[in-house]
Structure formats: C-alpha cells, structure tokens
Amino acid sequence: MARVFLSPPNMGGNELEYIKKVFESNYIAPLGEYVDKFENSVKNFCKVNSALALNSGTAAIHLALKSLGVKDGDVVLGSTFTFMASLNPVFYERCEAILIDSDESWNLSPKLLKKAINLAPKKPFALIVTHLYGQSAKMDEILEICQNEGIKVIEDAAEALGGFYKDNALGTLGHAGALSFNGNKIITTSGGGMLVSNDENLVKKARFLSTQAREPLLHYEHKTYGYNYRLSNVLGAIGVGQMEVLDKRVAKKREVFEKYKQNLSNLSVEFMPEIPNSKGNRWLTTLLFKEKNAHLKVIEALNKADIESRPLWKPMHLQPVFKGTLSVVDGTSEDFFSRGICLPSGSDISDNDIDRVCEIIKSNII
Ligand SMILES: *Cc1c(COP(=O)(O)O)cnc(C)c1O
C-alpha cells in the first residue's frame, strides 16, 4: 500500500495538454500566454480587479508589503498561529513584528489585535492576518479595527484559496492578499503564488518590482532595485488546469472533513471551527485532542501505518527566530499546539484510508 500523505498534488487532467501547448509554442519562458490565462482565471474566481502570478506565496506577501510602501523599522502586526512564510517578509524589510494570538476561531483574535495596537511602540503600518488551514479569520471585526487605525491589511490566504467570507473570496477583503500554489496546497503548480488586490495600482507596482524593477524603456534602466519573482509559462499552464478543478477540490476537502467528523463523533475531540458567514476550503482537517501530547502518540501510530500527519503550526512567538519580539498572547495557540493534529486530507484520499486513520486514532485515544 502506498504511503498516505497530508495533502499531495492532484492534477485535474488538462495540465499536461496545456504544458504541451506551451512547449509547441517554444514560449516556455519568459512569462507568456498561460501566465496571463492563469491570472485571469484567479481574477474571475476571486472576483478581484487584479492578480499577479509569482513564483511563491512568500513572494506575494513580500511584494504586498513593498507595494503598500513599507519602510525600515515599521511595525508589522501578524498572527502568531501560522507558518513562518507569513512573516519572513517582515525580516526582509527590516520591520519590527508584533505577534498576536488566536481566539476560539483558531485565527487572529480581534480583542488581542486592539491590545497589540495599544501596546505598539508606534502606529503599526500593516497587519498580516492568516486564514489558517483554509478557514476564514473574523474579517469584519479585523477590518474595522484596522480601518479605524489606518493600518493596511494583508491577508495570508496561502492555504485558503476557494474559501469565502460573506461571498468574498479569502484574500480579497483587505488591501492585498497572497495565495500559494506550493506542492501541498489545495491546488498546485509545483511551486508558485499569486498576489491579488482590488487596487490595480498596487498590483502594477508589484508587477514592476517582480521583474527586476525595469523601467519601460528600450534599454535596461533602473531607478530602484527589484526582484526576480515571476512565474514561468510552464507553471502557468499547470495553474490553468488546476483552476478548472478548484471547485471540485474544495468540495472534496469539505467532504473529507465531514467524514472525519462523523467517524470520530464519539470521541471528545474538537475540530477547527468555521466562523459564521464563512465557508472555508478545509484545506487540512485539523482537530484538538483533550489530553496534552495525545497528538504525538497518534502521529507516531499513524506513521507506523505509513500515514502522514502533523502537529499544528508551532506558534511564531515560540520560535527562536522571534526571541525578544513583542507578542500579545494569552496561551490559546500554545494550548492548540500542545494537543492538535493535522490529518491526511488529500483531495484524492479514499474512504478506506479515512477509515484506517480513524481506527488508529480511536485505538490510541481513550
Ligand atoms: C504555504 C504558505 C505560505 C507560503 O507559500 P509558498 O508558496 O510556499 O511561499 C505562506 N503562508 C502560509 C500560511 C502557508 O501555509
């Protein structure tokens, strides 16, 4: 039996045909028709004005910060319960991070966000809020607080493509949003990202910075420095094929979640919630056991059966790289980290594999 992975790639079927077309045109690079098509299909799906395909989600977060006009030493607020990539760009731009804990939604606590703004040594420039595991953060409250304070909102929707908050695609509610097409995400180009925004000028700036900040002249002219962050046409072709099946992937991920929930309904476990007026993509099915460290026993047992699972993200304020960073925390994400698990949630996982996972959980949890 093949190993069961957490969230492996799942091609829709047309990707190879599109890649072939790219090769036949010899236009494997730079950029090209399929990158444009990919950007358009994300724009249409997300109902957003502008989209910029990039070579990673991290690059999208970086260019969101840059294009919004971040400066050395600016204060940037961020969810502490997230993956490091959310906040790596804060280091690239020599900013000062303030890490904010989650609430019962598992995502950023609006209450602690207010507290963090009050504690900040100066007015924060931006907030990077993560939609963890594809589930929406409390965007109405978060946007209102940030709007009142003049703080820019960047949504890290890297895990959340296909998720919605009140009919708005996650990533399109703030000033800018970052999507990821890394290998384990809900859809993948093997590696890639996208910056989305309703602010066309912002995306224009980001597009310029993503192509070495080259001025639009015949010769190569540079008034500032830029980055080489663009996506290749070959990967754009994969993206076009993957966007065709995004709805299907979301439906399947949500179905996988429901199956786990039903199967484990007799155990005292808590699944990650879905806040009112939202519909997440359930990228990964995640849950909390009652007992501290119970997840470690389960992860080990699953691994013995050749099934991949993982602890929840280790909060950023516990990471050595953030030692000394101001954090506004109340123990919530630390508690989640001490007893939570990510279950295998591939969009091609079989019912039989879900049953096997559940049996192993049941036999290891009292
Ligand atoms: C995957 C991920 C990213 C980064 O995306 P890459 O495309 O891998 O650079 C950022 N934030 C979160 C929360 C992620 O899960």
Side-chain angles (χ1 to χ4, degrees):
M1 228 180 314
R3 184 167 170 82
V4 177
F5 290 102
L6 208 60
S7 182
N10 186 1
M11 291 297 105
N14 289 334
E15 290 84 357
L16 201 53
E17 184 193 323
Y18 300 152
I19 291 173
K20 257 195 206 138
K21 284 189 180 152
V22 167
F23 270 76
E24 279 161 14
S25 73
N26 194 42
Y27 223 90
I28 67 162
L31 296 170
E33 191 190 343
Y34 275 90
V35 169
D36 297 344
K37 281 188 178 165
F38 185 32
E39 287 176 352
N40 282 329
S41 77
V42 169
K43 248 167 48 177
N44 290 336
F45 181 91
C46 293
K47 298 194 173 57
V48 71
N49 287 341
S50 287
L52 170 66
L54 297 165
N55 55 21
S56 75
T58 311
I61 297 169
H62 185 199
L63 291 187
L65 267 181
K66 280 289 271 195
S67 308
L68 284 165
V70 78
K71 289 189 206 65
D72 265 43
D74 275 348
V75 170
V76 175
L77 310 168
S79 308
T80 193
F81 199 27
T82 190
F83 173 48
M84 184 65 194
S86 304
L87 294 166
N88 271 328
V90 172
F91 289 95
Y92 306 163
E93 292 305 315
R94 298 158 302 278
C95 294
E96 198 181 321
I98 299 182
L99 303 168
I100 303 170
D101 217 335
S102 303
D103 62 13
E104 81 295 336
S105 71
W106 294 36
N107 277 309
L108 189 95
S109 158
K111 205 175 85 197
L112 297 181
L113 168 60
K114 275 190 198 159
K115 196 170 158 191
I117 294 168
N118 289 331
L119 287 172
K122 59 180 176 182
K123 195 190 104 170
F125 173 76
L127 164 71
I128 302 172
V129 55
T130 301
H131 300 295
L132 206 66
Y133 303 120
Q135 300 301 105
S136 178
K138 293 179 174 171
M139 288 311 288
D140 272 354
E141 282 126 295
I142 291 165
L143 289 171
E144 192 188 329
I145 294 166
C146 289
Q147 202 160 18
N148 288 340
E149 301 287 339
I151 297 168
K152 310 281 189 201
V153 177
I154 298 169
E155 292 172 79
D156 180 345
E159 301 174 355
L161 176 60
F164 287 83
Y165 180 75
K166 288 189 172 172
D167 296 331
N168 300 295
L170 297 180
T172 66
L173 290 113
H175 293 86
L179 306 173
S180 169
F181 306 100
N182 192 36
N184 58 358
K185 297 289 155 56
I186 189 156
I187 58 169
T188 181
T189 56
S190 74
M194 189 113 30
L195 176 69
V196 291
S197 177
N198 283 310
D199 179 348
E200 282 168 40
N201 274 328
L202 183 142
V203 174
K204 217 170 127 187
K205 253 186 236 171
R207 200 177 288 277
F208 168 74
L209 292 171
S210 72
T211 45
Q212 311 282 21
R214 185 192 168 192
E215 295 296 328
L217 294 168
L218 178 63
H219 65 272
Y220 279 70
E221 178 86 5
H222 303 275
K223 294 179 186 164
T224 184
Y225 62 92
Y227 304 87
N228 184 5
Y229 276 171
R230 286 296 259 153
L231 191 75
S232 98
N233 206 25
V234 180
L235 301 193
I238 302 176
V240 172
Q242 286 277 278
M243 281 304 290
E244 291 172 357
V245 293
L246 176 57
D247 282 328
K248 261 199 210 161
R249 297 293 178 262
V250 173
K252 178 65 196 238
K253 292 267 188 186
R254 291 183 63 89
E255 194 186 303
V256 167
F257 171 82
E258 289 302 330
K259 287 200 168 126
Y260 276 125
K261 204 174 158 187
Q262 261 172 23
N263 202 321
L264 299 174
S265 60
N266 289 332
L267 294 186
S268 57
V269 294
E270 284 171 68
F271 287 85
M272 183 177 183
E274 184 157 65
I275 61 165
N277 301 313
S278 77
K279 188 180 173 201
N281 69 10
R282 292 289 183 195
W283 169 54
L284 296 182
T285 292
T286 54
L287 60 82
L288 305 175
F289 295 112
K290 208 165 159 195
E291 304 275 332
K292 260 196 192 344
N293 295 327
H295 66 298
L296 298 176
K297 203 172 143 195
V298 173
I299 290 171
E300 197 187 310
L302 288 170
N303 193 46
K304 277 198 187 123
D306 216 7
I307 298 170
E308 185 187 24
S309 63
R310 261 191 229 163
L312 302 180
W313 295 124
K314 181 176 178 178
M316 291 302 116
H317 69 276
L318 299 180
Q319 302 286 357
V321 66
F322 281 109
K323 194 164 175 261
T325 298
L326 182 57
S327 50
V328 182
V329 296
D330 63 6
T332 300
S333 59
E334 285 182 38
D335 172 45
F336 291 170
F337 175 62
S338 75
R339 57 194 178 96
I341 191 170
C342 303
L343 296 179
S345 312
S347 50
D348 58 353
I349 194 169
S350 67
D351 288 358
N352 184 46
D353 283 341
I354 293 176
D355 290 343
R356 285 170 60 216
V357 171
C358 293
E359 288 317 307
I360 290 168
I361 291 174
K362 286 175 197 162
S363 62
N364 280 276
I365 298 293
I366 339 98

